[in-house]
Amino acid sequence: MNNIAKKAVFLALAGIIQFGIGAATIEASPAHHDRQEMRQQDEQFEHDRQERERHERKEREHRERMERERHERERAEQRRHAEAMRRHHHESQEAWHERQRLENERHENEMRTIAAIVVAAVLK
């Protein structure tokens, strides 16, 4: 009986050692590390993608806001220009044409300024 117990203990210890060696081998294997590295790379990729999307969304919102502001400024300038181009009841024909010429020059300058502001904001 003693001999059988010794063999059972020996085989049990041999099995435990083999199991420990197998676990250590798996832990040290490149495939195991590759999975961890791939998981970390996937997490980093996802984080970078979210950052990129957030940045693109902010840029898009900024461009849209600038475009809305430009349209609003243009509409306001068009309304002001239309009002300024009307002939006043006390104006002579010559004075009206001179005022129209000056107003057209001022209007063109204002429209160029609006366009330049938008271009400068986009190039930032």
Side-chain angles (χ1 to χ4, degrees):
M1 188 75 174
N2 240 351
N3 207 9
I4 294 175
K6 288 179 185 177
K7 287 181 182 179
V9 170
F10 175 76
L11 291 175
L13 287 175
I16 291 172
I17 291 172
Q18 283 182 344
F19 181 77
I21 291 172
T25 304
I26 290 172
E27 185 66 30
S29 73
H32 180 72
H33 289 298
D34 286 346
R35 282 190 294 249
Q36 286 180 340
E37 290 174 9
M38 286 177 56
R39 190 177 320 116
Q40 289 173 348
Q41 288 174 351
D42 288 345
E43 290 172 359
Q44 183 64 37
F45 177 77
E46 182 65 22
H47 176 73
D48 291 347
R49 185 186 62 76
Q50 289 173 352
E51 284 293 318
R52 191 171 46 255
E53 286 176 355
R54 185 172 29 257
H55 179 70
E56 289 170 355
R57 185 176 59 249
K58 284 183 179 182
E59 282 184 0
R60 185 176 53 251
E61 289 170 355
H62 177 70
R63 283 192 308 269
E64 290 171 354
R65 186 176 63 251
M66 293 301 294
E67 189 67 16
R68 281 192 304 273
E69 290 174 6
R70 180 182 69 83
H71 282 301
E72 182 55 39
R73 286 185 69 174
E74 285 178 352
R75 281 192 296 272
E77 172 57 22
Q78 294 292 356
R79 286 191 299 269
R80 196 212 57 75
H81 178 68
E83 183 64 32
M85 291 300 284
R86 291 196 184 111
R87 183 175 178 182
H88 299 154
H89 66 279
H90 65 298
E91 270 184 314
S92 68
Q93 192 78 0
E94 295 83 25
W96 180 47
H97 286 300
E98 179 62 19
R99 190 171 58 78
Q100 279 184 325
R101 185 184 64 74
L102 294 173
E103 171 56 28
N104 281 333
E105 289 175 7
R106 196 210 62 75
H107 177 70
E108 287 299 318
N109 286 336
E110 182 65 23
M111 295 306 281
R112 277 191 222 102
T113 302
I114 291 170
I117 290 171
V118 169
V119 169
V122 168
L123 293 178
K124 278 186 181 180

